[in-house]
């Protein structure tokens, strides 16, 4: 009987200890851009190892989904690969830049052109140019692989290219017959499987696209590299940002943000093929 009582006591103590640990464990839920998944996955892996009382998670559903989730208290942090809108700022969104990216254009293997002008590229995206022959390529219809509208890449290309080249709302819209996918990896896969196609991805996915046999285009005779992006010669570039809501404060959130912008966090950014803020 005495042994049973001791066993019950030990089990009760263990249960209380585990419950206390669970209560003390802080969850930092993050949602947002699919582009930054390789960065966040590696950062979280390292951070969770050195911070036993904090569990960080990442839900890559798109920049807009992440920001909306922040306002709805689903996430404590959002990660965006597009700029904040005026309305989001008015709701209390604040941004911290933690990396830089460029959007690069990839084509299927049979497309042998290596350079395109910004203007012709924009005309492909809005449908004014429909055949590769119009830009020095083969006589074939251009198949456009696009991102869904919740994607930060979608918004960035519209802002950095379509709105830059075209002055009217009608012209600065994506063509309606694009093949829509949800991530950079899907763009690469779909471009590799779709003849005479073109799509766009983040700089960190360049190596993956080359391994698939895809071509990366120079734009205005400038090939996208870390050097040309840093020197602003390649101009289709953007900030990758941490988004928080100034109405809520959480020490564990600030600690993870500090990690993201620390030398260790910035090394991870560079290792994943993106540009650190101190580059």
């Amino acid at each position: 009987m005495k042994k049973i009582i001791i066993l019950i006591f030990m089990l009760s103590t263990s249960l209380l200890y585990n419950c206390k640990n669970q209560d003390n464990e802080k969850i930092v839920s993050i949602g947002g851009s699919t582009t930054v998944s390789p960065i966040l996955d590696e950062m979280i892996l390292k951070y969770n190892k050195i911070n036993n009382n904090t569990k960080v998670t990442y839900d890559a559903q798109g920049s807009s989904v992440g920001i909306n989730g922040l306002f709805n208290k689903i996430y404590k942090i959002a990660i965006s690969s597009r700029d904040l809108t005026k309305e989001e700022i008015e709701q209390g969104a604040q941004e911290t830049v933690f990396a830089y990216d460029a959007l690069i254009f990839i084509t299927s293997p049979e497309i042998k052109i290596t350079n395109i002008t910004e203007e012709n590229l924009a005309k492909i995206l809005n449908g004014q140019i429909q055949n590769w022959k119009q830009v020095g390529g083969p006589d074939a219809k251009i198949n456009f692989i696009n991102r869904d509208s919740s994607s930060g890449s979608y918004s960035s290309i519209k802002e950095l290219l379509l709105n830059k080249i075209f002055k009217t709302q009608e012209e600065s819209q994506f063509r309606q017959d694009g093949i829509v996918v949800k991530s950079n990896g899907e763009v690469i896969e779909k471009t590799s499987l779709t003849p005479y196609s073109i799509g766009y991805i983040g700089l960190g996915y360049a190596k993956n696209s080359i391994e698939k046999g895809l071509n990366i285009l120079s734009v205005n005779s400038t090939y996208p590299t870390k050097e040309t992006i840093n020197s602003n010669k390649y101009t289709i570039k953007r900030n990758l940002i941490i988004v928080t809501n100034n109405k809520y404060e959480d020490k564990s959130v600030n600690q993870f943000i500090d990690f993201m912008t620390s030398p260790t966090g910035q090394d991870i950014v560079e290792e994943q093929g993106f540009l650190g803020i101190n580059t």
Side-chain angles (χ1 to χ4, degrees):
M1 182 69 180
K2 185 176 180 181
K3 289 182 178 179
I4 294 174
I5 292 172
I6 292 171
L7 180 60
I8 292 172
F9 175 77
M10 289 174 65
L11 289 172
S12 299
T13 302
S14 176
L15 182 61
L16 287 170
Y17 177 79
N18 288 332
C19 288
K20 185 176 181 181
N21 273 358
Q22 289 175 4
D23 289 339
N24 289 338
E25 185 180 55
K26 297 170 183 175
I27 306 295
V28 178
S29 54
I30 308 173
S33 170
T34 62
T35 296
V36 303
S37 290
I39 301 175
L40 265 293
D41 289 347
E42 189 62 27
M43 283 187 177
I44 289 170
L45 183 65
K46 289 192 176 182
Y47 190 79
N48 284 341
K49 284 182 179 179
I50 61 177
N51 290 271
N52 296 327
N53 293 328
T54 302
K55 181 180 179 182
V56 183
T57 63
Y58 190 60
D59 186 18
Q61 297 290 335
S63 297
S64 296
V65 174
I67 294 170
N68 287 334
L70 176 70
F71 289 133
N72 291 320
K73 300 183 182 180
I74 298 170
Y75 307 123
K76 293 184 178 179
I77 301 173
I79 304 294
S80 178
S81 55
R82 64 162 173 82
D83 292 335
L84 293 173
T85 65
K86 180 182 177 182
E87 291 74 21
E88 289 164 349
I89 293 171
E90 288 174 348
Q91 288 183 70
Q94 293 183 321
E95 70 174 60
T96 301
V97 177
F98 75 98
Y100 302 112
D101 185 25
L103 286 159
I104 62 178
F105 285 83
I106 56 174
T107 62
S108 50
E110 66 279 353
I111 304 302
K112 302 303 181 184
I113 65 170
T114 58
N115 180 65
I116 192 168
T117 65
E118 274 193 349
E119 183 177 356
N120 282 342
L121 189 54
K123 287 181 177 178
I124 288 174
L125 301 188
N126 80 347
Q128 289 184 24
I129 292 178
Q130 294 272 344
N131 193 298
W132 282 111
K133 190 175 182 180
Q134 295 173 264
V135 290
D139 186 6
K141 179 188 174 183
I142 298 172
N143 293 309
F144 174 42
I145 315 300
N146 200 5
R147 295 292 304 278
D148 62 287
S149 59
S150 67
S151 160
S153 297
Y154 176 101
S155 301
S156 294
I157 285 294
K158 190 173 186 314
E159 181 66 30
L160 295 170
L161 199 54
L162 289 172
N163 291 352
K164 175 183 176 180
I165 299 299
F166 303 115
K167 303 307 177 187
T168 68
Q169 184 72 14
E170 183 180 359
E171 282 188 305
S172 60
Q173 300 300 315
F174 285 107
R175 54 192 284 187
Q176 295 300 305
D177 63 346
I179 301 169
V180 178
V181 298
K182 288 188 171 293
S183 69
N184 288 268
E186 288 183 41
V187 173
I188 293 171
E189 187 66 21
K190 186 64 72 173
T191 304
S192 70
L193 296 174
T194 307
Y196 307 108
S197 61
I198 184 172
Y200 54 93
I201 56 175
L203 180 67
Y205 295 82
K207 182 180 178 181
N208 305 61
S209 68
I210 292 170
E211 289 172 350
K212 276 283 189 178
L214 305 179
N215 306 311
I216 297 175
L217 291 177
S218 295
V219 179
N220 289 346
S221 300
T222 301
Y223 191 80
T225 65
K226 288 188 176 182
E227 292 70 29
T228 59
I229 296 163
N230 276 329
S231 64
N232 294 319
K233 292 179 181 177
Y234 189 87
T235 58
I236 309 173
K237 55 188 289 189
R238 59 182 176 171
N239 297 333
L240 300 179
I241 61 175
I242 302 161
V243 186
T244 52
N245 191 336
N246 64 11
K247 295 179 182 178
Y248 307 100
E249 292 186 3
D250 189 320
K251 185 178 178 181
S252 58
V253 166
N254 293 331
Q255 288 173 338
F256 185 68
I257 292 173
D258 288 341
F259 176 77
M260 291 180 72
T261 56
S262 72
T264 301
Q266 290 300 294
D267 284 345
I268 294 171
V269 169
E270 295 282 342
E271 287 165 6
Q272 296 302 320
F274 296 85
L275 302 175
I277 53 177
N278 298 317
T279 302

